[in-house]
Structures are given as structure tokens and as C-alpha cells.
Amino acid sequence: IKQLMNTSAGASFIIAVLDICDIYSDSTTGTANVDYKLAGRRSVGLNILEWLEDADPTIYPNLLLTAQRLNND
């Protein structure tokens, strides 16, 4: 994880994956099959967050700052 995050391409990839995972969403639509799909995506994102935290507690906050800078450019 640390090696991946030390490259701009790696950080961009993780940002994109976490965006797809929609980790901050509620994940309920009222339709079971859609809810399961969204919950699965969210679960993957939460696992990635755990890996980032285990590798270095400062990685995710720095990643958020990087994502914000990229969105502002």
C-alpha cells in the first residue's frame, strides 16, 4: 500500500476506487438486489480504508487533501 500511495498514479487509482465504492453513502434503496450490490461496494471501500490505516494512519487524510486539490484544478 505504501509503495502504491507513493506514486501519483497509485493515489489517483485509490481515489477512483474509493469514489466508486461510495463509502459515505447509506446504501439503501428499498430494492434488495441493488442494496446488496451497494453494500458490497461499500464493504470493499471500507476494507481499502482499513489497509490504508494499517499501512500508515496519515495516508487517508493526505489522500483526501490530494483528491480535493485534483478536483480544484
Side-chain angles (χ1 to χ4, degrees):
I1 291 291
K2 284 184 178 184
Q3 290 176 345
L4 179 68
M5 297 306 297
N6 282 333
T7 67
S8 60
S12 293
F13 174 75
I14 294 295
I15 290 168
V17 170
L18 290 176
D19 187 47
I20 291 168
C21 292
D22 206 11
I23 57 175
Y24 295 111
S25 73
D26 176 334
S27 296
T28 56
T29 65
T31 306
N33 61 339
V34 174
D35 289 351
Y36 295 145
K37 179 181 175 181
L38 295 175
R41 283 184 182 178
R42 186 169 184 272
S43 177
V44 168
L46 293 175
N47 284 331
I48 292 170
L49 284 182
E50 184 177 330
W51 296 340
L52 294 172
E53 179 72 20
D54 288 347
D56 180 348
T58 65
I59 289 177
Y60 185 61
N62 289 329
L63 185 64
L64 291 175
L65 292 172
T66 300
Q68 185 178 27
R69 279 194 300 272
L70 291 173
N71 287 334
N72 290 336
D73 287 344

